[in-house]
Amino acid sequence: MTRRPVLLAVPVLAAAVLAGAATAAPAVPRAAVAPPLTCEAGVPSPDGRVFPEPAVAPGWLRLVDFACGLAELEEQFPDRVQVTTTGTSAEGHPVYDVLLTDETVKTPKKKLLVVSSIHGDEIGAREGAARAMEDLLDERFLADEPWVEQVLDRYVIHFLFPNPDGWVEGDVAGSEGAGLSWTRGNSGERDLNRNFPVQGWIDAANGTLQEPESQGITKNLLQGKDWYLGTDNHGQLHDTYAAAGLQIVGQFDYQKSETLARFADGITESMAEYPVLQQMHAVGTAINGDVGPYHWGTLYDMLGYSASGSLIDYYNTASTTDGYGFATELTLGKTVAGNTAAWDPVRAQVWVDSIRAINFEMFRQAVDVKRFTFPVGTRTAYVFDPEVVTSKDGEGYEREEGEDLPQQPYSVSRMRFFTDLNKYASQRLTAVRVPEVLTGKRKLGDFQTVVLADDAMPEKGSRSAWVKALEDFVSRGGNLVVTDAAAPVLAELGLVGEGDVEMTEKYVGYVDFGDRGLKLNAGLRGVASQTYDTVPIGYQFGQVTAPNWTVAQEAWEAGGGVTAGTNGEGRTVYGEKKLGKGKVRFLGALLPQPTEEHYHPYGLQSYAVTYTGYTLLQNMLAR
């Protein structure tokens, strides 16, 4: 597919752009806080655009400027743009939802989502979105590109600007209610990106759905299952890359997980279309350093924390819109105590072009959908656990003061992971049950691999007979995969001592990878360490609650065991060890059963395996 970049005018050394918290060029005072020139009657824009390129723009966009520019675009392109709102903000400003589509094409269309600057002081996303919309509409830029025509024929793109209050707070003048410093939250100081009703652990202090912005978005926009790809674009403090991609984690089947990983990988190529970002790549190559236009991983991999109540998490939830959402962070993009009085065109160009690259790649992939197959290299069985975690049994969480949201029903199990995986597996994984094996109705020897996920023996029977059946299976050449709380069986099989196995709690499911040349570590992508997330399956982040099972590394490696990854503290969390003619492969953090131990008013999800977790499972199922 031919790609034509929007031509830019600001070459800049990446080293200067990314040097500490200072901007790449001295701040330029904004003359009289001027509006976009096209909004002054009879005065042309310096580059002929409604939203000028940062190189020639008079300054940061104020909300009043943006509204004026939207009116211009709607007037110029009435069949392709519709300016709507999802409601009003806490301070009464419109929450813009700008729709781009070819309205002359009347066939049913799916939807794409671009969220910009839900944190009002992370201004780069809205600066980029304004220019990106214009690029898609105007034939002088990209409107006549085949992929643009296709995406507008087949989709309705929703450009959402959810936090006008935080925006106006730094507008200084012109906008109604203008203040002196952009703010993260709305006028009520609420972080809107913690305000959505996600399944999993909820922090009651976040005031879920108590703000008009989140109420309007959930009621008037995020309805139905006709959504596909989406981006949620933010700003962070200093990074040596122009942008960081964050793969959000939830109950993502393999198709969704790989679709988002493909999107993340594609952004790297898309970034290369823009001169200002090409130079960052050149600097990184020249110094062989950790510098460049883009890198990606999970939220925890990239920023070291998780979150609950975010808009993009809600967008991704299978039981709501079931979208395919991804988040990004622009470097130097969190403007602390900033406002429109200080204008930095160089930094703005980096942001604008990063947003173009990210979202244009999403649109290209939306018209080039791929189906993915999870490779299963052996005849594989998984030991089925009939236990279900449900709100129906009355054994759920005992609420504390202030946790008063109505409880939504749920019925979840980690076994759902295998059901979903079979939709995309190259050969089907077969469920086997302990009683079937113990009574001889099912033979483990019919399979090459057997998976024990989180429980070595989930149903009643003779423990010694079950362990003997597992040992015989491996000794005769089988591949036994042991995950999570099934780890004590490693001692019962004689691979380590009983005292060598323990559960440690961490922030998320975590592996500190060793030699990436090992077959068990093949195919690792992005910044890889997180194997499962906590919030969707009920664990509380901010506290160390995620179960990670480990074995003493020295004991594991005695007799030839291989450690492919540790817990970062000298204990094996991932590896393999021979037993007879076969082998046992172990991953202590992948697929724990959801927990009811924390506040979860909107229910729970069944699993939250990351793209790295999928990769490791694929490697463990290989010959």
Side-chain angles (χ1 to χ4, degrees):
M1 182 179 294
T2 302
R3 301 185 179 194
R4 185 182 72 195
V6 178
L7 296 179
L8 307 174
V10 189
V12 61
L13 287 177
V17 174
L18 298 171
T23 58
V28 179
R30 178 174 175 159
V33 199
L37 298 185
T38 51
C39 289
E40 294 182 2
V43 180
S45 165
D47 61 1
R49 296 181 61 105
V50 172
F51 295 110
E53 291 289 350
V56 296
W60 305 112
L61 287 171
R62 301 170 302 170
L63 185 62
V64 65
D65 305 336
F66 182 65
C68 178
L70 290 182
E72 290 264 350
L73 291 178
E74 193 170 34
E75 181 177 351
Q76 290 184 32
F77 309 102
D79 292 336
R80 293 204 165 200
V81 60
Q82 181 182 2
V83 179
T84 71
T85 71
T86 62
T88 55
S89 68
E91 200 168 73
H93 300 294
V95 177
Y96 285 111
D97 173 26
V98 184
L99 282 57
L100 267 62
T101 191
D102 186 342
E103 296 180 10
T104 65
V105 178
K106 303 299 183 181
T107 55
K109 300 181 181 184
K110 297 196 75 171
K111 302 172 186 176
L112 305 173
L113 180 66
V114 179
V115 182
S116 299
S117 303
I118 194 169
H119 294 140
D121 58 351
E122 298 170 7
I123 65 177
R126 59 182 180 250
E127 292 284 334
R131 276 79 177 188
M133 288 190 294
E134 186 173 0
D135 293 343
L136 297 173
L137 294 169
D138 196 321
E139 291 183 356
R140 294 175 300 162
F141 309 121
L142 294 177
D144 62 351
E145 286 287 300
W147 64 267
V148 175
E149 294 175 350
Q150 291 172 33
V151 77
L152 296 182
D153 284 351
R154 293 166 53 181
Y155 293 92
V156 179
I157 307 173
H158 289 257
F159 282 85
L160 177 66
F161 301 84
N163 189 1
D165 287 1
W167 185 344
V168 164
E169 284 296 327
D171 278 358
V172 179
S175 301
E176 183 179 352
L180 296 179
S181 181
W182 293 303
T183 60
R184 178 180 176 89
N186 65 1
S187 63
E189 300 183 357
R190 180 74 73 184
D191 186 337
L192 298 176
N193 208 37
R194 303 293 184 270
N195 205 235
F196 288 83
V198 300
Q199 287 182 324
W201 175 70
I202 287 283
D203 186 348
N206 288 340
T208 304
L209 285 181
Q210 291 182 10
E211 301 302 312
E213 296 91 341
S214 57
Q215 292 170 7
I217 290 167
T218 54
K219 180 180 179 181
N220 299 323
L221 177 61
L222 297 183
Q223 295 288 325
K225 295 290 185 78
D226 52 353
W227 294 89
Y228 185 37
L229 294 173
T231 60
D232 180 19
N233 301 302
H234 292 259
Q236 60 177 322
L237 296 174
H238 174 64
D239 190 10
T240 56
Y241 288 78
L246 311 178
Q247 192 182 63
I248 308 303
V249 184
Q251 186 177 307
F252 292 3
D253 63 26
Y254 186 68
Q255 177 69 22
K256 180 180 285 192
S257 182
E258 284 300 297
T259 296
L260 291 173
R262 175 196 177 216
F263 178 22
D265 283 335
I267 292 170
T268 302
E269 180 182 351
S270 186
M271 286 277 190
E273 299 174 20
Y274 300 91
V276 71
L277 302 175
Q278 289 172 3
Q279 293 186 29
M280 294 182 181
H281 176 73
V283 169
T285 301
I287 66 174
N288 194 28
D290 195 20
V291 175
Y294 176 76
H295 60 163
W296 68 279
T298 66
L299 174 59
Y300 176 82
D301 288 335
M302 303 305 295
L303 301 182
Y305 65 86
S306 189
S308 174
S310 76
L311 188 158
I312 204 69
D313 277 329
Y314 179 75
Y315 180 73
N316 283 332
T317 304
S319 63
T320 55
T321 55
D322 197 20
Y324 287 52
F326 195 79
T328 61
E329 298 275 356
L330 303 177
T331 191
L332 300 177
K334 186 177 290 294
T335 307
V336 180
N339 59 37
T340 55
W343 167 233
D344 182 357
V346 175
R347 180 169 46 157
Q349 194 71 62
V350 173
W351 290 344
V352 167
D353 293 344
S354 295
I355 291 298
R356 282 171 163 143
I358 291 161
N359 289 290
F360 293 167
E361 181 62 23
M362 177 175 74
F363 302 149
R364 292 186 189 104
Q365 292 197 14
V367 296
D368 183 26
V369 178
K370 302 292 187 185
R371 180 176 173 86
F372 296 93
T373 299
F374 181 83
V376 180
T378 54
R379 293 191 309 278
T380 299
Y382 65 95
V383 177
F384 182 77
D385 184 354
E387 180 184 2
V388 174
V389 179
T390 178
S391 56
K392 298 177 182 179
D393 60 14
E395 298 179 1
Y397 172 69
E398 186 174 337
R399 296 184 173 207
E400 298 180 0
E401 184 177 354
E403 297 177 339
D404 52 9
L405 290 169
Q407 181 63 60
Q408 299 297 315
Y410 57 89
S411 182
V412 294
S413 166
R414 70 192 183 285
M415 295 293 106
R416 173 68 182 270
F417 174 80
F418 295 103
T419 301
D420 289 348
L421 188 61
N422 273 333
K423 299 173 186 176
Y424 309 103
S426 60
Q427 53 180 314
R428 187 174 182 82
L429 287 74
T430 302
V432 300
R433 302 185 68 160
V434 171
E436 294 175 334
V437 175
L438 294 181
T439 59
K441 293 181 180 179
R442 175 79 75 172
K443 296 183 183 299
L444 295 181
D446 292 340
F447 304 95
Q448 295 168 298
T449 295
V450 172
V451 180
L452 302 177
D454 194 50
D455 191 335
M457 188 177 178
E459 295 184 271
K460 294 180 179 179
S462 168
R463 180 83 178 191
S464 60
W466 175 244
V467 173
K468 180 66 165 56
L470 295 173
E471 184 176 7
D472 289 346
F473 165 74
V474 180
S475 296
R476 293 169 182 167
N479 175 33
L480 181 65
V481 174
V482 177
T483 84
D484 305 281
V489 80
L490 300 174
E492 295 175 90
L493 292 170
L495 297 173
V496 293
E498 184 177 348
D500 294 321
V501 181
E502 67 178 43
M503 191 274 282
T504 57
E505 293 179 325
K506 298 187 78 69
Y507 201 104
V508 295
Y510 175 82
V511 177
D512 183 7
F513 292 102
D515 181 1
R516 294 204 175 198
L518 294 173
K519 288 180 64 176
L520 282 180
N521 289 338
L524 291 174
R525 296 165 293 177
V527 179
S529 66
Q530 184 182 3
T531 52
Y532 75 83
D533 200 20
T534 50
V535 169
I537 55 175
Y539 290 93
Q540 179 177 347
F541 81 80
Q543 299 181 11
V544 180
T545 62
N548 283 239
W549 286 81
T550 63
V551 296
Q553 187 170 352
E554 183 178 354
W556 182 256
E557 293 178 356
V562 175
T563 295
T566 72
N567 68 343
E569 300 170 4
R571 294 183 61 84
T572 299
V573 71
Y574 178 48
E576 67 180 11
K577 193 168 186 176
K578 291 183 178 180
L579 179 61
K581 296 180 180 179
K583 63 178 74 73
V584 177
R585 288 169 168 164
F586 167 59
L587 175 55
L590 179 69
L591 200 59
Q593 186 80 318
T595 180
E596 297 177 287
E597 293 182 3
H598 307 282
Y599 187 44
H600 53 278
Y602 296 99
L604 297 168
Q605 300 179 48
S606 288
Y607 59 89
V609 175
T610 68
Y611 69 94
T612 298
Y614 274 109
T615 298
L616 301 189
L617 179 61
Q618 174 185 325
N619 293 342
M620 290 191 292
L621 298 185
R623 292 182 183 276

